[in-house]
Amino acid sequence: PGEGTAIPPADPTLGQATATPISYKALGYVSAEAEEDELIGLLQLISKSQGRQLGIQAGTAMTASLVSAATNGGTATGLGGGSTATFLGYEDFLDLKYGRAVPYRMVGAWLMANGAIKKSRKFTDKNGQYLWQPAIAAGQPDLFDGQPVYEDPGLSDPASATKSVLYGDLSAWVIKQRALRVAVSTEFKFDTDQVAIRSVYRGGGALSDPAAVAYLVSKNT
C-alpha cells in the first residue's frame, strides 16, 4: 500500500498435517542357559538387532509418508551433462534442485536411495572430476552439488518411474517420537527357563510445508 493507505489484512490459510506415532515392536526369547554360558553379551546383541530392525521399519514408513506429502518435482529425462543416462542423470538432479524456491535451496539437502547414490557418485564434469564431494569432517555427510546427501533405505533404487531422490529443506519434516524402550524379563517364560527381550519404538512424522521438499520420478523406460 502507498503512504497513508490502509494495510489490508492477509490472513493465511494454513494446511494441516498430523504426526501420529505408530508403534513398532519386537519380542525374542533365549534360553537362560545360553545367556548364562555366553561371554559376548548375548542379550545386548539381541536388543541391538531388534532396535536396528525397528529403526529400519519406522524409517521406511516415514519415508513413504514423506514422499506422499512432498511435491512432484518432475519426471527425469535421463540427461547427464549432455550424455544419456539410464533412468536419471545429472541434469535431472539440477532440475529438481532449481525447481525449489531460493529459501529452500539455501538450506537444501539430498535424500537418496542407495542405487541413486551409486549413480550420482559417478557423475563427472568435462574434466573428469567427480561431482560428488567427500565429507569435510568426521561425522558429517558427503556433499553432492555442494549440499549434504543422506541415504534412505526406504527409497526404491532407480528403475522405471520410481521415486529414488528427494531434495529440499528436510527440516520441514517434523518427527514425533518416544525413546526406544528395551525390557528384559526372566519370569515371563518361567516354565521353559527362557529370557524374554522386548523392544518398543513409537514414532511418526508429517511434512509441515509440502513445497519444502520435492521428489524426482525416474524416467519411464
Side-chain angles (χ1 to χ4, degrees), residues 82-106:
S83 60
T84 302
T86 305
F87 300 124
L88 47 83
Y90 176 56
E91 295 179 16
D92 297 314
F93 285 75
L94 293 182
D95 287 340
L96 177 65
K97 177 176 179 177
Y98 287 95
R100 300 298 89 217
V102 174
Y104 300 129
R105 296 204 310 271
M106 291 177 64

Side-chain angles (χ1 to χ4, degrees), residues 5-217:
T5 303
I7 302 174
D11 297 328
T13 300
L14 300 178
Q16 188 177 64
T18 303
T20 303
I22 298 174
S23 295
Y24 301 89
K25 305 174 182 179
L27 180 65
Y29 306 118
V30 60
S31 70
E33 286 92 343
E35 196 278 326
E36 289 175 349
D37 296 342
E38 59 85 24
L39 300 174
I40 58 174
L42 186 58
L43 296 184
Q44 289 82 359
L45 288 177
I46 294 174
S47 60
K48 181 178 180 180
S49 176
Q50 289 183 353
R52 180 170 292 163
Q53 292 304 313
L54 294 181
I56 292 175
Q57 291 177 16
T60 299
M62 290 190 190
T63 297
S65 180
L66 172 60
V67 172
S68 66
T71 300
N72 187 338
T75 301
T77 59
L79 294 179
S83 60
T84 302
T86 305
F87 300 124
L88 47 83
Y90 176 56
E91 295 179 16
D92 297 314
F93 285 75
L94 293 182
D95 287 340
L96 177 65
K97 177 176 179 177
Y98 287 95
R100 300 298 89 217
V102 174
Y104 300 129
R105 296 204 310 271
M106 291 177 64
V107 292
W110 302 92
L111 198 62
M112 301 186 190
N114 178 266
I117 289 178
K118 289 179 182 178
K119 293 180 69 67
S120 56
R121 282 188 69 98
K122 298 174 185 176
F123 291 149
T124 59
D125 60 21
K126 292 185 178 180
N127 295 319
Q129 299 296 315
Y130 286 103
L131 301 173
W132 186 282
Q133 302 162 327
I136 59 177
Q140 297 295 313
D142 289 348
L143 304 177
F144 177 68
D145 202 45
Q147 293 188 297
V149 183
Y150 300 96
E151 181 177 347
D152 191 333
L155 291 172
S156 301
D157 286 339
S160 180
T162 59
K163 300 170 185 175
S164 307
V165 179
L166 289 92
Y167 173 83
D169 179 7
L170 301 182
S171 68
W173 178 250
V174 180
I175 296 176
K176 185 177 182 180
Q177 66 177 344
R178 304 297 295 175
L180 176 68
R181 292 189 283 116
V182 179
V184 176
S185 173
T186 57
E187 299 177 355
F188 178 62
K189 287 288 185 177
F190 181 81
D191 59 333
T192 56
D193 195 26
Q194 289 180 298
V195 180
I197 307 97
R198 184 194 67 198
S199 299
V200 178
Y201 169 73
R202 296 181 65 240
L207 187 59
S208 60
D209 182 0
V213 181
Y215 57 80
L216 176 67
V217 180

